[in-house]
Amino acid sequence: MTDPAALLRPAFDRLKAGNLQRRTAFGLAERLRALDRLARVVKDHRAEIAAAVAADLGKPEVEAELVEVLPVLSEIAHCRRNLRRWMRPRRAWPTLMMLGTSATLHPQPKGVALVIAPWNFPFTLALVPVVSAIAAGNAVMVKPSEMAPATSTLLARLLPQALPDLVAVATGGPEVSQALLAMPFDHVFFTGSPAVGRIVMQAAAQNLVPVTLELGGKSPVVVGEGADIARAARWIAWGKVLNAGQICVAPDHLHVARPLMRDLTAAIRAEWQAMAADGTTAIVNDRHYARLIGLLNDATAQGAQVEALGQDHPKARHMAGRLVIGTTAGMAISQEEIFGPLLPILPYDDLSTAIDAINAGPKPLTIYAFGGDQMVSRLRDETSSGSFGVNLTIMPFLHQNLPFGGIGNSGMGAGHGQAGFDTFSHLKPVMRNRLTLLPLLFPPYTGRVRRLKDWVLRLLA
Ligand code: NAD
């Protein structure tokens, strides 16, 4: 078998050499042009992109355009509108000791970035970090997911065609990621599972390559006192129907105040069935389909009740939604990220119980709250998560003026909008001496220097 590293190294070397050569030449105008070319290629191949994603994930093409083409184009448009401002040196005001100097932070490209993407939004999650990396002036190597082969092949054809000097695509599985991770990239942006995140960080450590880890986990939704039941049901159902719940920020499970449980469950059931009526995304492959059935079987065997919200079509890997009631902490469904259309519903008598349950697990990527101000504020302040949504699901992920990222087990660093630009930039402090008086404290330490030192200490301490 051919060694993937031998095939990939020349592509890396080419990106690196181009990057060094461009150094000052990749200014605002060139970056805007590169982003334009990227936007053009996405617009020109819209239908092909939707078809590739639909083939990989068996999803309606309308949804494929909405979740794969639109976010990429809107990220490019957002970068184009703001790039001039983001690229400007940022002033750092002098502190008392620094009077007589001026200082700025100069955003500079890190160099050559590596983007490793997952399969669940195979186009968007590969492209959005590429947009940020290019906006920040980097060259990029992209490793799309082998579990979305049609999209990977398309990316490998379109990206180098649009930006031959700036982007290379390496297709393949973990062995390709491993070969790439052994190379001295200047930044690694990884989106995927916490388990692989650990492997990526360990590999990057060998070359001291900084990493951004966009990971997953179990993001809970909590519905409490004061919640608008109809609204909560609509957003929760949507969060599970979209992409068949295969979203890092999908509501994983639901904690609900016991008096609201019956009405909320009925409303979720109705919304879910209506939204899924026209068909939903398939489960990505047989392994994941079997994994989800395994979670249900394990829960049922241990006494949980499962209600199916429709018919399964295992051949096409279309799985009906399931409401799961009576789960306990020891069940697999309570421990691993569900990443599918199953919703455990857990009633609570006191909000503290739900908060304690959340705090007992790893820090989630996001937490969603539906309820009155007091309940929402308590949940926000007494828990820790990458982000926090009120009266909605999924949306914080789409807000380009909000950094998107996790904390602890759900990741580190952030992407999207300016946060993405900053991730791929080094904000280099540049300090200039205008007329600092510091040399008055230089040695030799005469009596005058000592008196001045005492005066400065009194002034500052
Ligand atoms: P994954 O971690 O299995 O794979 C992600 C990428 O890593 C793929 O390109 C894969 O080829 C590569 N990879 C797999 N094993 C590897 C190894 N041993 N060494 C090096 N590289 C390896 O994740 P997935 O199944 O594609 O995606 C689902 C996961 O991603 C879920 O946990 C989900 O929550 C998370 N996710 C997070 C975000 C986010 O923005 N935070 C977005 C989407 C998905």
Side-chain angles (χ1 to χ4, degrees):
M1 211 176 96
T2 331
D3 173 15
L7 292 174
L8 296 167
R9 187 74 204 202
F12 171 81
D13 289 341
R14 194 172 51 77
L15 292 176
K16 187 93 192 161
N19 186 261
L20 289 175
Q21 216 170 39
R22 269 187 301 274
R23 249 178 298 201
T24 52
F26 201 29
L28 177 67
E30 290 74 17
R31 295 189 202 180
L32 291 175
R33 260 202 299 281
L35 291 173
D36 267 350
R37 275 203 296 276
L38 204 54
R40 170 74 20 237
V41 95
V42 174
K43 283 180 193 159
D44 287 351
H45 296 84
R46 238 171 78 177
E48 240 178 300
I49 295 164
V53 176
D56 284 333
L57 291 173
K59 67 162 61 207
E61 288 197 16
V62 181
E63 193 177 299
E65 280 205 50
L66 273 176
V67 299
E68 301 282 355
V69 174
L70 182 66
V72 172
L73 290 178
S74 86
E75 186 72 23
I76 295 176
H78 182 71
C79 279
R80 293 194 81 264
R81 274 195 299 277
N82 294 287
L83 192 55
R84 178 187 297 274
R85 184 166 56 83
W86 297 344
M87 284 175 71
R88 252 184 234 142
R90 304 171 197 181
R91 177 175 298 242
W93 291 100
T95 58
L96 212 50
M97 275 287 278
M98 296 300 127
L99 286 177
T101 68
S102 65
T104 39
L105 294 176
H106 284 247
Q108 274 197 322
K110 282 192 174 165
V112 184
L114 171 62
V115 169
I116 302 179
W119 53 263
N120 63 325
F121 291 97
F123 193 76
T124 296
L125 294 176
L127 256 276
V128 167
V130 169
V131 171
S132 302
I134 288 175
N138 299 268
V140 204
M141 176 87 80
V142 192
K143 211 298 278 166
S145 171
E146 72 283 11
M147 279 158 71
T151 311
S152 295
T153 309
L154 189 63
L155 283 165
R157 179 157 64 80
L158 296 184
L159 293 185
Q161 183 186 315
L163 299 169
D165 300 335
L166 289 176
V167 184
V169 180
T171 55
E175 69 297 343
V176 172
S177 298
Q178 295 285 348
L180 290 167
L181 285 164
M183 296 177 198
F185 281 93
D186 298 296
H187 193 88
V188 173
F189 192 103
F190 170 79
T191 307
S193 58
V196 178
R198 283 180 174 80
I199 299 173
V200 167
M201 193 166 171
Q202 217 159 30
Q206 299 311 311
N207 288 316
L208 286 180
V209 178
V211 290
T212 301
L213 300 179
E214 297 280 4
L215 311 178
K218 293 181 82 62
S219 297
V221 50
V222 185
V223 180
E225 208 175 304
D228 175 338
I229 297 288
R231 176 150 76 168
R234 201 161 160 67
W235 282 94
I236 294 167
W238 180 64
K240 278 290 194 188
V241 170
L242 187 70
N243 225 34
Q246 302 169 109
I247 313 181
C248 56
V249 288
D252 181 272
H253 56 285
L254 164 64
H255 296 278
V256 53
R258 199 178 294 277
L260 308 180
M261 177 153 164
R262 224 182 50 157
D263 287 353
L264 182 65
T265 306
I268 292 176
R269 181 185 299 120
E271 289 288 358
W272 195 319
Q273 285 172 332
M275 288 185 198
D278 288 343
T280 60
T281 302
I283 304 305
V284 64
N285 56 27
D286 290 337
R287 182 168 64 79
H288 276 282
Y289 195 95
R291 177 183 66 80
L292 291 165
I293 296 291
L295 290 182
L296 289 172
N297 290 342
D298 171 69
T300 319
Q302 297 190 58
Q305 291 116 51
V306 174
E307 179 191 349
L309 300 176
Q311 281 294 320
D312 289 339
H313 299 285
K315 277 220 173 81
R317 297 190 309 277
H318 281 281
M319 183 176 280
R322 303 288 204 289
L323 303 180
V324 188
I325 295 177
T327 52
T328 54
M331 297 176 182
I333 201 170
S334 309
Q335 291 172 357
E336 62 178 76
E337 180 179 9
I338 295 174
F339 225 61
L342 325 175
L343 181 68
I345 304 179
L346 299 105
Y348 67 78
D349 294 306
D350 180 342
L351 183 60
S352 302
T353 329
I355 291 176
D356 290 347
I358 294 170
N359 289 338
K363 293 182 180 183
L365 189 52
T366 183
I367 295 177
Y368 302 113
F370 293 84
D373 288 347
Q374 215 188 350
M375 172 265 174
V376 168
S377 312
R378 261 200 73 194
L379 190 63
R380 182 195 61 211
D381 296 345
E382 295 180 24
T383 58
S384 174
S385 54
S387 54
F388 189 84
V390 184
N391 294 335
L392 46 75
T393 60
I394 316 284
M395 278 188 76
F397 180 78
L398 304 169
H399 194 316
Q400 285 155 330
N401 281 330
L402 282 179
F404 178 77
I407 177 169
N409 195 65
S410 53
M412 62 181 69
H416 296 188
Q418 184 169 6
F421 174 89
D422 286 357
T423 286
F424 288 102
S425 300
H426 171 56
L427 298 179
K428 182 157 79 177
V430 176
M431 186 171 174
R432 179 186 296 265
N433 181 6
R434 304 224 175 251
L435 194 63
T436 171
L437 298 181
L438 198 72
L440 294 178
L441 287 168
F442 285 1
Y445 297 124
T446 59
R448 202 191 52 156
V449 172
R450 284 160 197 271
R451 279 194 300 282
L452 185 61
K453 176 258 310 171
D454 288 339
W455 182 79
V456 169
L457 275 172
R458 269 201 309 279
L459 188 74
L460 295 179

